[in-house]
Amino acid sequence: MIAEDNKFTARQYKILLEKMGHKVITTEDGSECVKKYKEALSKSEFDSLDESPFDLVLLDHNMPKKTGAQAAKEILAKNPDQKILFVTAYQRWAVEDDTDELFDKIVLLEKPFTLGQLSRKIESFSV
C-alpha cells in the first residue's frame, strides 16, 4: 500500500513495486490510507493467522488530512507487526517530534533518493 499525495511520485512507486512483483493499492493522503488499511484488515483472511494484509505500507510524511506519522500510528495500533517504510523530504531530526515513538517500528528513507535505493530498501524488508 502506498500513501503519497503527489500523483507522479505515487505512480513511480507503483510502477516500481509492480515490477518487483507486488500488488499495489495507492491512496492520496493519510486519512484514505488508514481507511483502506482498516477495510483490508477487516476483509483479510489473514486476521486469524496474525499476518498483515500488506507486505509493506509506504507512507509519505507530509500529506493532507493526516500526516504519514499519524497514519503510521493508527496502522500500528491495529497491527503492531505491519512493516512501514516512511519517506520524507525532511531530515530525520525534523520529524522526530511526530515520529519519535515510531522509530523502532518503522524504516525511514530520506528524499531525495533514486528508485534503485527505494528498491533495495523494499527488498531489505523481506530479509
Side-chain angles (χ1 to χ4, degrees):
M1 173 176 270
I2 298 168
E4 170 63 62
D5 61 318
N6 181 302
K7 291 180 193 270
F8 175 79
T9 302
R11 178 139 175 78
Q12 296 302 308
Y13 295 163
K14 182 176 188 217
I15 290 168
L16 174 68
L17 286 163
E18 287 175 343
K19 284 183 179 178
M20 295 174 72
H22 297 279
K23 182 179 172 188
V24 180
I25 294 174
T26 58
T27 60
E28 294 183 3
D29 59 62
S31 183
E32 182 185 9
C33 176
V34 170
K35 179 183 176 199
K36 286 192 175 186
Y37 187 89
K38 289 177 180 177
E39 288 171 2
L41 196 60
S42 68
K43 293 178 187 174
S44 177
E45 64 190 72
F46 301 111
D47 279 343
S48 62
L49 299 176
D50 213 19
E51 291 185 21
S52 301
F54 300 99
D55 296 332
L56 172 70
V57 176
L58 191 153
L59 296 170
D60 183 33
H61 173 62
N62 191 16
M63 293 185 290
K65 298 183 183 177
K66 271 188 184 143
T67 66
Q70 292 167 329
K73 288 174 188 176
E74 286 190 47
I75 288 168
L76 290 169
K78 287 286 183 189
N79 181 5
D81 296 324
Q82 178 61 60
K83 295 176 183 177
I84 295 179
L85 178 57
F86 192 77
V87 294
T88 181
Y90 302 99
Q91 292 185 338
R92 183 181 182 131
W93 59 267
V95 295
E96 282 184 351
D97 286 346
D98 292 336
T99 60
D100 195 36
E101 74 264 17
L102 298 175
F103 274 130
D104 63 336
K105 298 176 182 172
I106 63 173
V107 173
L108 182 72
L109 182 60
E110 291 178 27
K111 295 176 183 177
F113 52 82
T114 66
L115 290 177
Q117 289 170 314
L118 177 59
S119 175
R120 287 188 294 281
K121 189 65 80 169
I122 291 167
E123 288 172 347
S124 74
F125 276 100
S126 60
V127 173

